[in-house]
Amino acid sequence: MLTKEECKAALQKRILALAGTSLDEASAADKYAALASLIRDYIGQRWVDTTRYYDDQKQKQVYYFSIEFLPGRLLDTNLRNLGLREVWCEALAELGIDYTELANAERDAGLGNGGLGRLAACFLDSLASLGLPGHGCGIRYTYGLFEQSIIDGVQVEKPDTWLSDLDIWEYRKAGKAVTVEFGPPLGTVKAVPYDIPVIGFDNRTVNTLRLWSAELRDGLNVNYSSLTPGDIRKLLEYKNWVEAISQILYPDDRYEEGRHLRLVQEYFLVSAGLKSIIRHIKRKQGSNLSYLANQIAIHINDTHPALAIPELMRILMDEEGMGWDEAWDITTHTISYTNHTVLPEALEKWPVDQLRSLLPRIYEIIHEINERFCAELWKRYPGEWDRIAAMAVIADGFVKMAHLAVAGSHSVNGVAELHSRILQDDLLHLFYQHTPQKFNNKTNGITHRRWLLSANPGLAGLITDTIGPAWLQRPTELERLLPFAASTAFQQKLTAVKQDRKEALAKFIFDNYHITLDTHSLFDVQVKRIHAYKRQLLNALRIMELYQRLKADPGLDILPRTFIFAGKAAPGYYLAKKVIQLIVTLSKQINNDPAIQDKLKIVFLENYNVSLAELIIPAADISEQISTAGKEASGTSNMKFMMNGAITIGTLDGANVEIREAVGDENIVIFGLTAEEATACYQTGQCDPMIIYNQDERVRNCVNQLIDGSLPVIGDEFKPLYEYLLHPNGAFLELQDFAAYLDAQAKIDRLFRNKHARWQMAIKNIAHSGRFSSDRTVKEYADAIWHIRPAEIPQR
Ligand SMILES: *Cc1c(COP(=O)(O)O)cnc(C)c1O
């Protein structure tokens, strides 16, 4: 085991070697780089051992294909999982180095938009921590999700240059490059893997996240002795095009615009990923691929990697010489698919012409898949043209990626009970009728190691002091906190932990925004991507309502609240940007109004990312999960908040339904239309917002304020929001749920006055959060879909 003294000496030496400077002169970034590079030393052997063990034991392995991974910072996770966090913290303290400052020098690996990429990162952590043979496969974007700042109330985007610090965790494997072939005129591109170790918690497993980068192919066809200007132009075009492939992450969350480069990225990912997997299998286990489905599982995270289906068919047929039927049998038994959304605008479809010209052979295969699939349907449902047209993989000139994913895989899952039911009853109903055995649910989860142990060490320590450390390995053991729910002593300790986190957040906000918060006010938090269906606008409207009431009656008896928002809007999403502007405008108006006597404060924090989430969530009293019922597939921040003792106010949507089941109706505040009621609303058109606008004076007052000059903006800035809210069927039922939301907020106010009851609720939430650990989710995938088993990597 490493000693403190060894750590101290090693760090000084490494700083000298890397930065060429002494410890006193070194910046936080230098110290971070040195420590991270030392961790690389510890990982190497374990990584090799893990890979070798899987190969020797012929372990079935899963490859999780995802166009996004959002791991956040890795230093603390890696130290902790290696069991080196304590010794290093002590060593750093003795050297006079602030560990937090050093760790904060790391830039977030922000290769994802939000929930989808974060889920993939939580799954990798759980796979490794459960000792399961599972790896990630993604794209190494040069620029991650844009950096957001707010200037004059408006979102401004800047490129995220995370790689400028040279990502210390990645290992470039130039020798393992593969080529990816596009149709003419694009031709061949080289894909170079960058491997990032994924370290298991308290075991010897080190799995791999392999991220692909596009590079110029070797051996360009040029005659150097007679380069014409035309040759040079062509070369440059090729170079620019290749570099563009892995340059940027598309910043649209749940919106697919059908951009050409995105299709290129999708094929680049799956072709490179599959080629390297197949090459590895053939090297280690021989050239017969007939049993591929017993050797590997490929999981596609949403439809972005769905071209894995025709690409695997192509490899098995064109390169391995198999016939269609055998290749199809192997492909469909290898691939499984998770659906992440039912929003129509988020469902991927590619114009036939575009796909055919970019990827002629892949299109040919998809065409054949469609022909055979439709023939099968015709046999089963003779004469039912409408049904077959509705299920076809190619229809109306488009390739429908969800249909391709369902037809070409053996398992289709949603990400929460409600969402899976909606898939079966509605979005994919015909597919469910056709192959019900493919459909299942896997409720999402979050890694309790990052979201509790790392993000909230004070709470983790309190829990361990109270019930022992078994919850770290088996998070459902958090239920052993239940007997302490009514304990005043435990409640007081939890109160102190929450207060400490609120003060830390308040300090961050003061340092960065010069806003002073009352840390005894309720921290009422909504942090997530800005999207109409998530209804930040509903939240803003009720703040306007509360503000009006308080203005009218300054003596109004309310618990002081601090409203905290954060989240990025897609750069082209006009309405979402308007919502940000509204929130920032309200903060200017309300924070500076002396009549409010600091009873209300609003902050919009810039550049929401994993690290900011780790700072905000432990400080929250109230978790706002208020999407239109039926629209949020699962949500995962709802789980992070409950695990940190916040009380959820939410709709019966996504995993909120299961959180309510877990904690009981008395420990969550639920309001609003159900998914069925919301659907009925849309279908019957009975929910014309004008009816509510005319009936409810509070609605009218708030909505009118968007256009009547009450808000401190010049001109008609918020008219688009006004029109959106009153459009007969444009909105996400904000006004329909408004009254119920106000009632629910009043209930929260009452609940939080009784401190004993409130902390009891918080403890029950923490105690029941174990089932939302991604360890549970990943175990379910491993057992029921991937059929992989844990490996115990031996000590060498
Ligand atoms: C957890 C997380 C999300 C997902 O939040 P939802 O509220 O479930 O949409 C998005 N972004 C970041 C940075 C996260 O950590």
Side-chain angles (χ1 to χ4, degrees):
M1 211 49 215
L2 203 66
T3 69
K4 227 172 14 183
E5 296 309 318
E6 285 168 342
C7 290
K8 282 155 67 176
L11 188 75
Q12 276 165 319
K13 217 169 127 192
R14 193 59 58 95
I15 287 177
L16 205 55
L18 285 181
T21 155
S22 71
L23 188 61
D24 324 326
E25 297 291 314
S27 65
D30 292 336
K31 293 171 203 161
Y32 155 71
L35 177 49
S37 123
L38 283 166
I39 295 174
R40 279 175 71 118
D41 295 356
Y42 309 130
I43 300 167
Q45 191 59 48
R46 292 178 182 218
W47 204 359
V48 171
D49 291 349
T50 303
T51 309
R52 183 169 306 152
Y53 185 81
Y54 292 160
D55 287 336
D56 290 351
Q57 302 293 315
K58 300 198 177 2
Q59 282 259 347
K60 184 174 183 186
Q61 306 187 43
V62 65
Y63 296 89
Y64 195 84
F65 278 44
S66 180
I67 199 100
E68 303 186 0
F69 285 91
L70 188 55
R73 290 182 180 134
L74 293 175
L75 179 81
D76 189 70
T77 303
N78 287 347
L79 273 179
R80 184 234 303 140
N81 285 9
L82 288 165
L84 296 172
R85 192 175 184 277
E86 227 162 287
V87 66
W88 267 107
C89 280
E90 284 169 18
L92 292 173
E94 286 186 14
L95 290 170
I97 298 172
D98 179 353
Y99 173 70
T100 309
E101 190 193 333
L102 179 154
N104 287 349
E106 178 172 7
R107 295 177 63 114
D108 270 46
L111 307 184
N113 272 284
L116 176 111
R118 185 53 232 169
L119 184 77
C122 281
F123 281 9
L124 292 185
D125 184 74
S126 286
L127 279 163
S129 296
L130 294 167
L132 286 163
H135 314 283
C137 181
I139 295 177
R140 178 182 180 269
Y141 301 104
T142 316
Y143 300 97
L145 184 62
F146 66 86
E147 269 183 35
Q148 175 200 54
S149 47
I150 306 294
I151 297 177
D152 297 331
V154 177
Q155 168 174 299
V156 176
E157 302 95 17
K158 275 189 312 204
D160 164 42
T161 52
W162 73 298
L163 281 179
S164 61
D165 292 349
L166 218 170
D167 187 23
I168 202 113
W169 303 113
E170 64 185 14
Y171 294 65
R172 177 182 159 93
K173 298 277 174 71
K176 298 202 166 169
V178 298
T179 56
V180 175
E181 307 287 342
F182 293 94
L186 302 177
T188 305
V189 174
K190 186 159 83 165
V192 180
Y194 287 72
D195 289 354
I196 297 176
V198 183
I199 301 160
F201 176 70
D202 200 19
N203 62 18
R204 296 190 52 81
T205 300
V206 181
N207 291 333
T208 303
L209 166 57
R210 175 160 280 187
L211 299 177
W212 294 96
S213 180
E215 294 189 5
L216 304 184
R217 65 171 177 264
D218 300 327
L220 290 175
N221 278 336
V222 288
N223 179 354
Y224 290 96
S225 58
S226 64
L227 270 183
T228 66
D231 290 338
I232 291 172
R233 204 190 59 237
K234 268 203 203 132
L235 255 178
L236 282 176
E237 273 170 15
Y238 170 72
K239 178 171 177 288
N240 287 339
W241 178 76
V242 169
E243 283 171 355
I245 296 176
S246 50
Q247 202 126 35
I248 61 147
L249 163 71
Y250 277 102
D252 308 273
D253 200 42
R254 296 188 174 79
Y255 185 76
E256 282 300 334
E257 228 185 332
R259 295 210 222 193
H260 189 66
L261 186 59
R262 173 75 159 198
L263 183 60
V264 172
Q265 290 181 333
E266 292 183 359
Y267 184 67
F268 176 76
L269 164 66
V270 301
S271 182
L274 284 172
K275 281 183 173 178
S276 83
I277 292 164
I278 301 261
R279 183 177 59 192
H280 182 81
I281 289 274
K282 288 174 76 168
R283 266 190 207 152
K284 299 291 172 187
Q285 301 189 34
S287 58
N288 181 0
L289 294 183
S290 298
Y291 303 100
L292 189 69
N294 300 332
Q295 296 167 309
I296 61 165
I298 306 254
H299 197 86
I300 57 177
N301 193 26
D302 213 327
T303 56
H304 320 116
L307 292 178
I309 293 161
E311 174 67 0
L312 184 53
M313 287 295 288
R314 186 194 65 75
I315 293 172
L316 294 176
M317 294 191 300
D318 299 0
E319 295 178 13
E320 303 297 328
M322 287 183 192
W324 181 280
D325 291 337
E326 190 186 6
W328 183 247
D329 188 57
I330 293 171
T331 299
T332 51
H333 283 88
T334 302
I335 292 179
S336 48
Y337 156 61
T338 297
N339 172 285
H340 281 274
T341 178
V342 297
L343 297 179
E345 64 272 27
L347 298 176
E348 280 194 295
K349 51 180 193 185
W350 294 103
V352 162
D353 293 340
Q354 193 178 357
L355 216 155
R356 187 168 42 203
S357 72
L358 181 70
L359 304 162
R361 177 61 181 141
I362 290 299
Y363 179 73
E364 222 168 60
I365 293 171
I366 296 174
H367 184 79
E368 184 65 22
I369 291 173
N370 185 49
E371 291 286 305
R372 288 170 183 250
F373 185 57
C374 290
E376 175 191 322
L377 294 174
W378 178 253
K379 246 207 286 187
R380 172 106 179 252
Y381 314 104
E384 295 190 42
W385 289 108
D386 289 349
R387 176 193 293 265
I388 296 167
M391 294 175 76
V393 173
I394 303 174
D396 311 322
F398 287 95
V399 175
K400 301 192 168 169
M401 299 293 268
H403 296 193
L404 175 64
V406 178
S409 60
H410 63 91
S411 170
V412 178
N413 73 281
V415 290
E417 298 279 357
L418 174 67
H419 169 60
S420 295
R421 205 172 69 224
I422 292 171
L423 290 183
Q424 295 179 12
D425 295 351
D426 188 5
L427 186 72
L428 299 175
H429 179 61
L430 297 179
F431 291 89
Y432 176 65
Q433 283 188 327
H434 183 57
T435 47
Q437 71 282 1
K438 285 189 186 182
F439 284 76
N440 63 89
N441 174 61
K442 296 287 169 283
T443 299
N444 280 168
I446 54 164
T447 166
H448 59 288
R449 288 167 292 273
R450 178 175 292 264
W451 295 108
L452 177 49
L453 183 57
S454 286
N456 202 344
L459 178 55
L462 172 59
I463 293 171
T464 300
D465 288 347
T466 311
I467 62 169
W471 66 276
L472 289 168
Q473 299 291 348
R474 291 181 301 281
T476 48
E477 303 233 352
L478 286 168
E479 285 184 10
R480 287 160 59 175
L481 288 170
L482 286 174
F484 298 89
S487 147
T488 316
F490 186 72
Q491 289 192 358
Q492 276 168 359
K493 288 180 197 158
L494 182 59
T495 308
V497 167
K498 184 63 83 182
Q499 191 58 28
D500 175 67
R501 289 301 82 205
K502 288 170 79 169
E503 266 150 32
L505 178 58
K507 178 176 186 313
F508 174 86
I509 289 171
F510 182 79
D511 290 348
N512 289 280
Y513 298 87
H514 305 291
I515 299 173
T516 308
L517 300 186
D518 169 6
T519 58
H520 293 284
S521 65
L522 300 185
F523 281 18
D524 179 338
V525 184
Q526 189 175 19
V527 290
K528 48 184 79 239
R529 286 300 288 252
I530 313 293
H531 203 296
Y533 86 86
K534 291 178 182 278
R535 300 202 294 190
Q536 282 91 355
L537 185 52
L538 174 59
N539 193 345
L541 286 174
R542 68 89 192 211
I543 296 173
M544 292 166 73
E545 195 274 344
L546 181 57
Y547 176 59
Q548 286 179 23
R549 259 193 296 143
L550 203 54
K551 287 285 271 189
D553 174 11
L556 190 70
D557 181 23
I558 57 157
L559 292 181
R561 289 207 204 193
T562 300
F563 305 101
I564 295 167
F565 291 89
K568 293 175 184 176
Y573 194 166
Y574 180 73
L575 226 55
K577 291 180 136 179
K578 280 287 165 199
V579 169
I580 294 178
Q581 194 185 359
L582 174 63
I583 293 166
V584 175
T585 301
L586 290 173
S587 76
K588 274 191 208 134
Q589 182 183 36
I590 295 176
N591 295 358
N592 299 323
D593 185 343
I596 294 309
Q597 312 151 57
D598 290 337
K599 281 184 187 166
L600 306 179
K601 280 270 161 71
I602 307 181
V603 245
F604 187 97
L605 299 176
E606 295 163 312
N607 203 39
Y608 186 54
N609 60 14
V610 171
S611 292
L612 195 55
E614 290 173 51
L615 182 66
I616 295 172
I617 291 170
D621 295 303
I622 300 165
S623 160
E624 298 277 348
Q625 307 298 339
I626 59 175
S627 50
T628 315
K631 302 297 179 192
E632 183 75 270
S634 162
T636 47
S637 78
N638 45 3
M639 303 167 184
K640 301 167 193 165
F641 279 103
M642 89 179 284
M643 196 175 269
N644 281 279
I647 309 300
T648 305
I649 177 167
T651 48
L652 281 176
D653 200 14
N656 297 353
V657 177
E658 287 154 80
I659 292 178
R660 173 177 176 240
E661 266 166 31
V663 300
D665 199 39
E666 67 285 8
N667 295 308
I668 186 168
V669 178
I670 294 289
F671 72 94
L673 300 174
T674 63
E676 285 75 19
E677 289 164 348
T679 309
C681 238
Y682 285 121
Q683 281 169 356
T684 60
Q686 272 170 358
C687 289
D688 184 347
M690 279 314 285
I691 300 173
I692 294 155
Y693 176 85
N694 289 326
Q695 272 170 1
D696 190 334
E697 190 187 355
R698 299 169 305 178
V699 169
R700 214 160 44 242
N701 285 341
C702 294
V703 174
N704 284 349
Q705 284 210 340
L706 294 169
I707 52 159
D708 69 5
S710 322
L711 296 169
V713 281
I714 303 157
D716 280 348
E717 288 291 345
F718 299 124
K719 187 131 183 258
L721 293 176
Y722 173 87
E723 286 170 352
Y724 160 82
L725 286 168
L726 294 180
H727 193 275
N729 44 19
F732 278 93
L733 308 177
E734 286 87 348
L735 302 191
Q736 281 76 6
D737 273 342
F738 186 73
Y741 187 43
L742 293 187
D743 290 347
Q745 291 292 0
K747 184 172 171 188
I748 289 268
D749 186 286
R750 287 194 301 277
L751 278 171
F752 274 73
R753 282 168 198 259
N754 181 342
K755 290 220 163 71
H756 183 79
R758 173 260 150 105
W759 288 109
Q760 182 159 325
M761 283 174 75
I763 296 164
K764 288 189 176 171
N765 271 269
I766 299 168
H768 289 293
S769 68
R771 77 153 92 164
F772 298 104
S773 165
S774 46
D775 287 8
R776 188 266 311 148
T777 314
V778 161
K779 265 194 207 119
E780 290 177 3
Y781 277 95
D783 291 343
I785 300 178
W786 303 330
H787 304 294
I788 54 168
R789 281 197 306 276
E792 186 102 7
I793 311 300
Q795 181 104 35
R796 274 164 51 100

